[in-house]
Every structure is written in C-alpha cells, then in structure tokens.
Amino acid sequence: MSTTYTRQIERLVNGIPTQDGAGVSLTRVLTHDLQRRLDPFLMLDAFHSDEPSDYLAGFPDHPHRGFETVTYMLAGRMRHRDNAGNEGLLEPGGMQWMTAGRGLVHSELPEQENGLMSGFQLWVNLAGKDKMTEPGYSDIPAAGIPETSPQPGVKARVLAGAAFGTAGAISRDTTEPLYLDLALEAGVSLDLPIPATHNAFLYVYEGKLAVGEGETHPADAGRMAVLSNPVGSAGVKVRAEEGSRFLLIAGKPLNEPIAQWGPFVMNTREQVEQAIDDFRAGRF
C-alpha cells in the first residue's frame, strides 16, 4: 500500500515576541490558545540573539510539574542545574529532554557573555497517569543526535521518534513524539512521513517552504504552519523555495483536560492548586 501525503497548511501562525525568565527575549511560537489543537504540545519558544542583554539574565531557579521540557540548541551554551543534583551543559547541536513529573526546581543560565544564543524550547504534556512520575533528564550532545540524508539536498537530524529508517535520540510510548530538524537545498522537494494519528506542525527558521500539494502559501522564516489532519493522512510534501531549515514536530494527542497555571500543567484545577501548595511547602 503506497503512502499518501495529503496534509496541507491549516493555519500560518506568527510568533509573539515576549520575555521570560529574568528577562530573556524570545518568540513564543506555540501559544496557549493552540494547546488543544496541537495536543500533546503545550508551548514552543524560539530564541535567537547575538545581543547579550537579550539572554544574559537567563532562567534562574523555577519549578515545573506535570510535563516535559525539550531544549534544543543551535548556537550558544546553557548550563542546567536542578534540585535533584543534576547538572549539565547544553552546547551547539545538543538537546536536553527533561521530565518534570511530580516536581522539579531548576535553572537554565547562559555559559557565555557574548556571541549568538539560538535554539528552541518545547513543552510536551504528560498523560494524567504519568504526571506524578519521578523527575529525570537526559543531556544529549550533538554527536548523540542521529543524522541522515534520505535523498540528495536533504539533511535530517532525528531528535525524537523515527524517520527515514533512522531512530531518534529519544522515544516516548504514550505521546510518541516525532521531532526533526531538517535542512533542504533550494528547489528540493521531500515527502515527510507523519503518523496519521498525530497532530503536527512545521516551524521554519531559515528560508521559505512550500507546504502541501497544489496551490499553497509558502511558510516564511519565523512562521509556524499548523498541518491539517485529513482522515488517513500519513504525511506532507514540502518544497524549499530557497535554502531552508525547519522543525517538524508531531505527537499523538492525549485527549485529556489541560489545567495550567504557569509552570504547572495538570488535569484539574485542584491538582494545580496542590502543585502550588507542594512547591511553596518545599515538597518538590
């Protein structure tokens, strides 16, 4: 049976410039209003600046409960420390996948005073049955992220899931995330496999990408393309209008209630209130 690539752009989204942490400038790409549509993903932030005042303050100690954070660096160095005694250095091309679970307090601070800081942080929800799991994290250096070239003019880094016959650095059973960083030379077309069960989106961070078949508005750098979910679809066709780099992120929806207050994401308001109480009482 042949694979059908039938997804199209459902919506193009412009990121929202904002600040977070102690004053880090970033672009919030996946916002609160898209959490249900792009379940199990809760947030995507993009940061890119060679102006030290945009990133030097970093993200001092702050708590999380109920989800996973995925930090992927393109350029720059960021130091992670948490109250479980973990410490790691994120460097260019590397990724950290942290499971906050029942609760963790950590900091993310730049390990540089100048130069370019560039990358992404993605929040992946946990199922209700997993929200109070033991916290943990994996630091994966650039060399630990599998790379493949499925055809001429295409390079793919497989951060999570599997694509083009290559297993990624991370796998998860429930949400089954697929996280790819792709580079296409100008004029190259590529069929991207995406499980029919998954919600999916693309984020173009360099170049311009035509998405889907037939007449389509291209996705420019700095825009997210939410992909449609036609019944039985298995993927999407993309074509680089110019040399392009982009993320493909897809996951199996949890279809559970989302109750969020800042860094706590649970299923009910009562669970969020319990998380706040536990954090204030030092039980993380």
Side-chain angles (χ1 to χ4, degrees):
M1 182 177 178
S2 63
T3 301
T4 304
Y5 296 89
T6 55
R7 295 186 190 236
Q8 304 285 345
I9 293 179
E10 178 181 296
R11 188 185 327 179
L12 281 172
V13 177
N14 292 314
I16 300 171
T18 187
Q19 289 191 331
D20 210 335
V24 176
S25 296
L26 50 83
T27 301
R28 186 140 294 159
V29 181
L30 197 168
T31 52
H32 189 273
D33 60 315
L34 287 168
Q35 289 179 346
R36 296 302 313 179
R37 175 61 187 83
L38 293 175
D39 178 14
F41 304 109
L42 299 164
M43 189 185 81
L44 176 67
D45 284 346
F47 49 93
H48 182 92
S49 180
D50 57 8
E51 177 54 58
S53 62
D54 285 340
Y55 60 76
L56 274 182
F59 302 86
D61 281 349
H62 58 282
H64 292 297
R65 174 180 281 184
F67 61 99
E68 300 185 287
T69 68
V70 184
T71 307
Y72 176 44
M73 298 294 290
L74 299 177
R77 293 154 54 89
M78 190 81 75
R79 174 77 61 178
H80 162 95
R81 292 185 177 90
D82 65 42
N83 66 340
N86 298 311
E87 183 173 337
L89 181 63
L90 263 167
E91 298 186 275
M95 172 177 69
Q96 182 200 80
W97 197 294
M98 187 183 82
T99 303
R102 62 179 174 78
L104 197 68
V105 178
H106 79 144
S107 63
E108 300 156 293
L109 299 172
E111 192 109 327
Q112 63 189 56
E113 294 184 359
N114 51 58
L116 178 63
M117 181 76 74
S118 180
F120 309 93
Q121 186 168 93
L122 175 72
W123 288 12
V124 187
N125 205 0
L126 286 169
K129 65 183 179 63
D130 298 323
K131 285 187 176 294
M132 296 298 284
T133 194
E134 191 71 18
Y137 92 120
S138 299
D139 267 338
I140 301 157
I145 297 177
E147 299 185 2
T148 184
S149 180
Q151 66 185 59
V154 177
K155 292 182 180 179
R157 307 191 79 218
V158 189
L159 283 72
F164 311 115
T166 300
I170 290 286
S171 64
R172 288 290 184 268
D173 291 337
T174 304
T175 51
E176 301 176 11
L178 176 63
Y179 192 167
L180 307 180
D181 178 15
L182 294 128
L184 269 63
E185 294 178 6
V188 170
S189 295
L190 176 67
D191 287 339
L192 279 169
I194 304 169
T197 53
H198 285 30
N199 289 326
F201 64 93
L202 305 173
Y203 180 69
V204 182
Y205 63 93
E206 289 180 15
K208 182 184 294 186
L209 205 64
V211 182
E213 297 177 312
E215 290 297 320
T216 180
H217 294 291
D220 301 299
R223 303 186 88 184
M224 175 174 72
V226 178
L227 299 180
S228 63
N229 290 6
V231 175
S233 67
V236 67
K237 184 182 291 289
V238 297
R239 181 181 183 277
E241 304 273 292
E242 54 192 64
S244 299
R245 292 193 68 183
F246 63 99
L247 306 179
L248 166 64
I249 298 175
K252 189 173 183 179
L254 293 168
N255 295 316
E256 296 181 354
I258 300 171
Q260 178 176 359
W261 186 83
F264 309 127
V265 184
M266 305 301 288
N267 295 121
T268 68
R269 178 176 175 175
E270 290 73 21
Q271 290 171 338
V272 170
E273 290 171 347
Q274 184 64 57
I276 296 169
D277 289 344
D278 288 346
F279 170 62
R280 288 175 175 167
R283 289 190 287 266
F284 274 26

Coordinates of all heavy atoms in Angstrom, one line a residue, residues 172-248:
R172 N 9.2 8.0 23.3 CA 8.2 8.0 24.3 C 7.0 7.2 23.9 O 6.6 7.3 22.8 CB 7.8 9.5 24.7 CG 8.8 10.3 25.4 CD 9.0 9.8 26.8 NE 10.0 10.7 27.6 CZ 11.3 10.4 27.7 NH1 11.8 9.5 27.0 NH2 12.0 11.2 28.4
D173 N 6.5 6.3 24.8 CA 5.5 5.4 24.4 C 4.1 6.1 24.2 O 3.4 5.8 23.3 CB 5.3 4.3 25.5 CG 6.6 3.4 25.5 OD1 7.2 3.3 24.4 OD2 6.8 2.8 26.5
T174 N 3.7 7.0 25.1 CA 2.4 7.5 25.1 C 2.1 8.6 24.1 O 1.2 8.5 23.3 CB 2.0 8.0 26.5 OG1 2.2 7.0 27.5 CG2 0.5 8.4 26.6
T175 N 3.0 9.6 24.1 CA 2.8 10.7 23.1 C 3.5 10.4 21.8 O 3.2 11.1 20.8 CB 3.3 12.0 23.7 OG1 4.6 11.8 24.2 CG2 2.4 12.5 24.9
E176 N 4.4 9.5 21.7 CA 5.1 9.1 20.5 C 5.6 10.3 19.7 O 5.3 10.4 18.5 CB 4.2 8.3 19.6 CG 3.7 7.0 20.3 CD 2.7 6.2 19.5 OE1 2.5 6.5 18.3 OE2 2.1 5.2 20.0
P177 N 6.3 11.2 20.4 CA 6.7 12.5 19.6 C 7.7 12.2 18.5 O 8.6 11.3 18.6 CB 7.4 13.3 20.7 CG 7.8 12.3 21.8 CD 6.8 11.2 21.7
L178 N 7.5 12.9 17.4 CA 8.4 13.0 16.3 C 9.0 14.4 16.2 O 8.2 15.4 16.2 CB 7.7 12.6 15.0 CG 8.5 12.7 13.7 CD1 9.7 11.7 13.7 CD2 7.6 12.5 12.5
Y179 N 10.3 14.5 16.3 CA 10.9 15.8 16.4 C 12.1 15.8 15.4 O 13.1 15.1 15.7 CB 11.4 16.2 17.8 CG 11.8 17.6 18.1 CD1 12.0 18.0 19.4 CD2 12.1 18.5 17.1 CE1 12.4 19.3 19.7 CE2 12.5 19.8 17.3 CZ 12.6 20.2 18.7 OH 13.0 21.5 18.9
L180 N 12.0 16.5 14.3 CA 13.1 16.5 13.3 C 13.5 17.9 13.0 O 12.7 18.9 13.0 CB 12.5 16.0 11.9 CG 11.9 14.6 11.9 CD1 11.4 14.3 10.5 CD2 12.8 13.5 12.5
D181 N 14.9 18.1 12.8 CA 15.4 19.3 12.3 C 15.9 19.1 10.9 O 16.8 18.2 10.7 CB 16.6 19.7 13.3 CG 17.3 21.0 12.8 OD1 16.8 21.7 11.9 OD2 18.4 21.3 13.3
L182 N 15.4 19.8 9.9 CA 15.6 19.4 8.5 C 16.2 20.6 7.8 O 15.9 21.8 8.1 CB 14.3 19.0 7.8 CG 13.7 17.7 8.4 CD1 12.3 17.9 8.7 CD2 13.8 16.6 7.3
A183 N 17.2 20.3 6.9 CA 17.8 21.3 6.0 C 17.5 20.9 4.6 O 17.9 19.7 4.2 CB 19.2 21.4 6.3
L184 N 16.9 21.7 3.8 CA 16.7 21.4 2.3 C 17.4 22.5 1.5 O 17.3 23.7 1.7 CB 15.2 21.5 2.0 CG 14.4 20.1 2.2 CD1 14.4 19.6 3.6 CD2 13.0 20.3 1.7
E185 N 18.1 22.0 0.4 CA 18.6 22.9 -0.5 C 17.5 23.5 -1.4 O 16.4 22.9 -1.5 CB 19.7 22.2 -1.4 CG 20.9 21.7 -0.6 CD 21.9 21.0 -1.5 OE1 21.7 20.9 -2.7 OE2 22.8 20.4 -0.9
A186 N 17.8 24.7 -2.0 CA 16.8 25.4 -2.8 C 16.3 24.4 -3.9 O 17.0 23.8 -4.6 CB 17.3 26.6 -3.4
G187 N 14.9 24.4 -4.1 CA 14.3 23.6 -5.1 C 14.0 22.2 -4.8 O 13.4 21.5 -5.6
V188 N 14.5 21.7 -3.7 CA 14.4 20.3 -3.3 C 13.0 20.0 -2.7 O 12.5 20.8 -1.9 CB 15.4 19.9 -2.3 CG1 15.2 18.5 -1.8 CG2 16.8 19.9 -3.0
S189 N 12.3 19.0 -3.2 CA 11.1 18.5 -2.6 C 11.3 17.3 -1.8 O 12.2 16.5 -2.1 CB 10.0 18.2 -3.7 OG 9.7 19.4 -4.4
L190 N 10.5 17.1 -0.7 CA 10.6 16.0 0.2 C 9.3 15.6 0.7 O 8.4 16.4 1.1 CB 11.5 16.4 1.4 CG 11.7 15.4 2.5 CD1 12.5 14.2 2.0 CD2 12.4 16.0 3.7
D191 N 9.0 14.2 0.7 CA 7.9 13.7 1.3 C 8.2 13.4 2.8 O 9.1 12.6 3.0 CB 7.4 12.4 0.6 CG 6.8 12.6 -0.7 OD1 6.3 13.8 -0.9 OD2 6.8 11.7 -1.6
L192 N 7.5 14.0 3.7 CA 7.8 13.8 5.1 C 6.7 12.9 5.7 O 5.5 13.2 5.8 CB 7.7 15.2 5.8 CG 8.9 16.1 5.8 CD1 8.6 17.5 6.3 CD2 10.0 15.5 6.6
P193 N 7.1 11.7 6.2 CA 6.2 10.8 6.8 C 5.8 11.3 8.2 O 6.6 11.7 9.0 CB 6.9 9.5 6.9 CG 8.4 9.9 7.0 CD 8.5 11.2 6.2
I194 N 4.5 11.3 8.5 CA 3.9 11.7 9.8 C 2.8 10.6 10.1 O 1.9 10.4 9.3 CB 3.3 13.1 9.8 CG1 4.3 14.1 9.3 CG2 2.7 13.4 11.2 CD1 3.7 15.5 9.1
P195 N 2.9 10.0 11.3 CA 1.8 9.0 11.6 C 0.4 9.7 11.5 O 0.2 10.8 11.9 CB 2.1 8.7 13.1 CG 3.6 8.9 13.2 CD 3.9 10.1 12.3
A196 N -0.5 9.0 10.9 CA -1.9 9.5 10.7 C -2.6 9.9 12.0 O -3.5 10.7 12.1 CB -2.7 8.5 9.9
T197 N -2.1 9.3 13.2 CA -2.7 9.5 14.5 C -2.3 10.8 15.1 O -2.8 11.2 16.1 CB -2.3 8.4 15.4 OG1 -0.9 8.3 15.4 CG2 -2.9 7.1 15.0
H198 N -1.3 11.5 14.5 CA -0.6 12.6 15.2 C -1.1 14.0 14.7 O -1.4 14.2 13.6 CB 0.9 12.5 14.9 CG 1.6 11.5 15.7 ND1 1.1 10.3 16.1 CD2 2.9 11.4 16.1 CE1 1.9 9.5 16.7 NE2 3.1 10.2 16.8
N199 N -1.1 14.9 15.7 CA -1.1 16.3 15.4 C 0.3 16.8 15.0 O 1.3 16.2 15.5 CB -1.6 17.2 16.6 CG -3.0 17.0 16.9 OD1 -3.9 16.8 16.0 ND2 -3.4 17.0 18.2
A200 N 0.4 17.7 14.1 CA 1.7 18.1 13.6 C 1.8 19.5 13.1 O 0.8 20.1 12.7 CB 2.1 17.2 12.4
F201 N 3.0 20.1 13.2 CA 3.3 21.4 12.7 C 4.7 21.5 12.3 O 5.6 20.7 12.7 CB 2.9 22.5 13.8 CG 3.8 22.5 15.0 CD1 4.9 23.2 15.2 CD2 3.4 21.7 16.1 CE1 5.7 23.2 16.3 CE2 4.2 21.6 17.3 CZ 5.3 22.4 17.4
L202 N 5.0 22.5 11.4 CA 6.3 22.9 11.0 C 6.7 24.3 11.5 O 5.8 25.1 11.6 CB 6.4 22.9 9.5 CG 5.9 21.7 8.7 CD1 5.9 22.0 7.2 CD2 6.9 20.5 9.0
Y203 N 7.9 24.5 11.9 CA 8.4 25.8 12.2 C 9.6 26.1 11.3 O 10.7 25.4 11.4 CB 8.7 26.0 13.6 CG 9.2 27.4 14.0 CD1 8.4 28.5 13.9 CD2 10.6 27.6 14.3 CE1 8.8 29.8 14.2 CE2 11.0 28.9 14.5 CZ 10.1 30.0 14.5 OH 10.6 31.3 14.7
V204 N 9.5 27.1 10.4 CA 10.6 27.4 9.5 C 11.4 28.5 10.2 O 10.9 29.6 10.6 CB 10.0 28.0 8.2 CG1 11.1 28.3 7.2 CG2 9.1 27.0 7.5
Y205 N 12.7 28.2 10.3 CA 13.6 29.2 11.0 C 14.6 29.8 10.0 O 15.3 30.7 10.4 CB 14.2 28.7 12.3 CG 15.1 27.5 12.2 CD1 16.5 27.7 12.1 CD2 14.6 26.2 12.3 CE1 17.4 26.6 12.0 CE2 15.5 25.1 12.3 CZ 16.9 25.3 12.1 OH 17.7 24.3 12.1
E206 N 14.7 29.2 8.8 CA 15.5 29.8 7.8 C 14.9 29.5 6.4 O 14.4 28.4 6.2 CB 17.0 29.3 7.8 CG 17.9 29.7 8.9 CD 19.3 29.1 8.8 OE1 19.6 28.6 7.7 OE2 20.0 29.1 9.8
G207 N 14.8 30.5 5.5 CA 14.4 30.3 4.2 C 12.9 30.4 4.0 O 12.2 31.1 4.7
K208 N 12.3 29.6 3.1 CA 10.9 29.7 2.7 C 10.5 28.3 2.2 O 11.2 27.7 1.4 CB 10.6 30.8 1.7 CG 9.2 30.9 1.3 CD 9.0 31.9 0.1 CE 9.4 33.4 0.6 NZ 9.1 34.4 -0.5
L209 N 9.3 27.8 2.7 CA 8.9 26.5 2.4 C 7.5 26.4 1.8 O 6.6 27.0 2.4 CB 9.0 25.7 3.7 CG 9.2 24.2 3.7 CD1 10.6 23.8 3.1 CD2 9.1 23.6 5.1
A210 N 7.3 25.8 0.7 CA 6.0 25.5 0.2 C 5.6 24.2 0.8 O 6.3 23.2 0.9 CB 6.0 25.3 -1.3
V211 N 4.3 24.1 1.3 CA 3.9 23.0 2.1 C 2.6 22.5 1.5 O 1.6 23.2 1.3 CB 3.6 23.4 3.6 CG1 3.2 22.2 4.4 CG2 4.9 24.0 4.2
G212 N 2.5 21.2 1.3 CA 1.3 20.5 0.8 C 1.4 20.5 -0.7 O 2.4 20.8 -1.4
E213 N 0.3 20.0 -1.3 CA 0.2 19.9 -2.8 C -0.8 20.9 -3.4 O -1.7 21.4 -2.7 CB -0.2 18.5 -3.1 CG 0.8 17.4 -2.7 CD 0.3 16.0 -2.9 OE1 -0.9 15.7 -2.6 OE2 1.1 15.2 -3.5
G214 N -0.5 21.3 -4.6 CA -1.4 22.3 -5.3 C -1.0 23.7 -4.8 O 0.1 23.9 -4.3
E215 N -1.9 24.6 -5.0 CA -1.7 26.0 -4.6 C -1.6 26.1 -3.1 O -2.4 25.6 -2.3 CB -2.9 26.9 -5.1 CG -2.9 27.0 -6.6 CD -1.7 27.7 -7.1 OE1 -1.2 28.7 -6.5 OE2 -1.2 27.3 -8.2
T216 N -0.5 26.7 -2.6 CA -0.3 26.9 -1.2 C 0.5 28.1 -0.9 O 1.4 28.5 -1.7 CB 0.4 25.6 -0.6 OG1 0.6 25.8 0.8 CG2 1.8 25.4 -1.3
H217 N 0.2 28.8 0.2 CA 1.0 29.9 0.6 C 2.3 29.4 1.3 O 2.2 28.5 2.1 CB 0.2 30.8 1.5 CG -1.0 31.5 0.9 ND1 -0.9 32.4 0.0 CD2 -2.3 31.2 1.1 CE1 -2.1 32.8 -0.4 NE2 -3.0 32.1 0.3
P218 N 3.4 29.9 0.9 CA 4.7 29.4 1.5 C 4.7 29.8 2.9 O 4.2 30.9 3.3 CB 5.8 30.0 0.6 CG 5.2 31.2 0.0 CD 3.7 30.9 -0.2
A219 N 5.4 29.0 3.7 CA 5.7 29.4 5.1 C 7.1 30.0 5.1 O 8.1 29.4 4.8 CB 5.7 28.1 6.0
D220 N 7.1 31.3 5.6 CA 8.4 32.0 5.6 C 9.1 31.8 7.0 O 8.5 31.3 7.9 CB 8.1 33.5 5.5 CG 7.4 33.9 4.2 OD1 8.0 33.6 3.2 OD2 6.3 34.4 4.3
A221 N 10.4 32.2 7.0 CA 11.1 32.1 8.3 C 10.4 32.8 9.4 O 9.9 33.9 9.2 CB 12.5 32.6 8.1
G222 N 10.3 32.2 10.5 CA 9.7 32.8 11.7 C 8.2 32.5 11.8 O 7.5 33.0 12.7
R223 N 7.7 31.6 10.9 CA 6.2 31.3 10.9 C 6.1 29.8 11.2 O 6.9 29.0 10.7 CB 5.5 31.7 9.6 CG 5.7 33.2 9.3 CD 4.9 33.5 8.1 NE 3.5 33.9 8.5 CZ 2.5 34.2 7.6 NH1 2.8 34.1 6.3 NH2 1.3 34.5 8.0
M224 N 5.0 29.5 11.9 CA 4.6 28.1 12.2 C 3.5 27.7 11.3 O 2.5 28.5 11.2 CB 4.2 27.9 13.6 CG 3.7 26.5 13.9 SD 3.4 26.2 15.7 CE 1.9 27.2 16.0
A225 N 3.6 26.5 10.6 CA 2.5 26.0 9.8 C 1.8 24.9 10.5 O 2.4 23.8 10.7 CB 3.0 25.5 8.5
V226 N 0.6 25.1 11.0 CA -0.2 24.0 11.6 C -0.7 23.2 10.5 O -1.3 23.7 9.5 CB -1.4 24.6 12.4 CG1 -2.2 23.5 13.0 CG2 -0.8 25.5 13.5
L227 N -0.5 21.9 10.5 CA -0.9 21.0 9.5 C -2.2 20.4 9.7 O -2.6 20.0 10.8 CB 0.2 19.9 9.3 CG 1.6 20.3 9.0 CD1 2.6 19.2 8.8 CD2 1.6 21.2 7.7
S228 N -3.0 20.2 8.6 CA -4.3 19.6 8.7 C -4.2 18.1 9.0 O -3.1 17.5 8.8 CB -5.0 19.8 7.4 OG -4.4 19.1 6.3
N229 N -5.3 17.6 9.5 CA -5.4 16.1 9.9 C -6.4 15.4 9.0 O -7.4 14.9 9.6 CB -5.7 16.0 11.3 CG -4.6 16.4 12.3 OD1 -3.6 16.9 11.8 ND2 -4.8 16.2 13.6
P230 N -6.3 15.3 7.7 CA -7.3 14.6 7.0 C -7.3 13.1 7.3 O -6.3 12.5 7.7 CB -6.9 14.8 5.5 CG -5.5 15.1 5.6 CD -5.2 15.9 6.9
V231 N -8.5 12.5 7.3 CA -8.6 11.1 7.7 C -7.7 10.2 6.8 O -7.6 10.4 5.6 CB -10.0 10.6 7.5 CG1 -10.1 9.1 7.8 CG2 -10.9 11.3 8.5
G232 N -6.8 9.4 7.4 CA -6.0 8.5 6.7 C -4.7 9.2 6.2 O -3.9 8.5 5.5
S233 N -4.4 10.4 6.5 CA -3.2 11.1 6.0 C -2.0 10.4 6.7 O -2.1 9.9 7.8 CB -3.3 12.6 6.3 OG -3.2 12.8 7.7
A234 N -0.9 10.5 6.0 CA 0.3 9.9 6.5 C 1.5 10.8 6.5 O 2.5 10.5 7.0 CB 0.7 8.6 5.7
G235 N 1.3 12.0 5.9 CA 2.5 12.9 5.9 C 2.2 14.1 5.1 O 1.0 14.5 4.9
V236 N 3.3 14.8 4.7 CA 3.1 16.1 4.0 C 4.3 16.2 3.0 O 5.4 15.7 3.2 CB 3.1 17.3 5.0 CG1 4.4 17.4 5.7 CG2 2.7 18.5 4.3
K237 N 4.0 16.9 1.9 CA 5.0 17.1 0.9 C 5.5 18.6 1.1 O 4.7 19.5 1.2 CB 4.5 17.0 -0.5 CG 5.5 17.1 -1.6 CD 4.9 17.0 -3.0 CE 4.5 15.6 -3.3 NZ 5.7 14.7 -3.5
V238 N 6.8 18.8 1.1 CA 7.3 20.2 1.2 C 8.3 20.4 0.1 O 8.9 19.5 -0.4 CB 8.0 20.4 2.6 CG1 7.1 20.2 3.7 CG2 9.2 19.4 2.8
R239 N 8.5 21.7 -0.2 CA 9.4 22.1 -1.3 C 10.1 23.4 -0.8 O 9.4 24.3 -0.4 CB 8.7 22.3 -2.6 CG 9.7 22.7 -3.7 CD 9.0 23.0 -5.0 NE 9.9 23.3 -6.1 CZ 10.4 24.5 -6.3 NH1 10.0 25.5 -5.6 NH2 11.2 24.7 -7.4
A240 N 11.4 23.4 -0.9 CA 12.2 24.5 -0.5 C 12.2 25.6 -1.6 O 12.8 25.3 -2.6 CB 13.6 24.1 -0.1
E241 N 11.6 26.7 -1.3 CA 11.6 27.8 -2.3 C 13.0 28.4 -2.4 O 13.4 29.0 -3.4 CB 10.6 28.9 -1.9 CG 9.1 28.3 -1.8 CD 8.4 28.3 -3.1 OE1 8.1 29.4 -3.6 OE2 8.1 27.2 -3.6
E242 N 13.7 28.3 -1.3 CA 15.1 28.7 -1.2 C 15.7 27.8 -0.1 O 15.0 27.0 0.5 CB 15.2 30.2 -0.8 CG 14.5 30.6 0.4 CD 14.4 32.1 0.7 OE1 13.7 32.8 -0.2 OE2 14.9 32.6 1.7
G243 N 17.0 27.9 0.0 CA 17.6 27.0 1.0 C 16.9 27.3 2.4 O 16.8 28.4 2.8
S244 N 16.5 26.2 3.0 CA 15.6 26.3 4.2 C 16.0 25.3 5.3 O 16.5 24.2 5.0 CB 14.1 26.0 3.8 OG 13.7 26.9 2.8
R245 N 15.8 25.8 6.5 CA 15.9 24.9 7.7 C 14.6 25.0 8.5 O 14.0 26.2 8.7 CB 17.1 25.3 8.6 CG 18.4 25.0 7.9 CD 19.6 25.1 8.9 NE 19.5 24.0 9.9 CZ 20.3 23.9 10.9 NH1 21.3 24.8 11.1 NH2 20.2 22.9 11.8
F246 N 14.1 23.9 9.0 CA 12.8 23.9 9.7 C 12.7 22.8 10.6 O 13.4 21.7 10.5 CB 11.6 24.0 8.7 CG 11.5 22.7 7.8 CD1 10.6 21.7 8.1 CD2 12.3 22.6 6.7 CE1 10.5 20.6 7.3 CE2 12.2 21.5 5.9 CZ 11.3 20.5 6.2
L247 N 11.8 22.9 11.6 CA 11.5 21.8 12.5 C 10.2 21.2 12.1 O 9.2 21.9 11.7 CB 11.3 22.3 13.9 CG 12.4 23.2 14.5 CD1 12.0 23.6 16.0 CD2 13.8 22.4 14.6
L248 N 10.1 19.8 12.1 CA 8.8 19.1 12.1 C 8.6 18.5 13.4 O 9.5 17.8 13.9 CB 8.9 18.0 11.0 CG 7.7 17.0 11.1 CD1 6.4 17.7 10.8 CD2 8.0 15.8 10.1

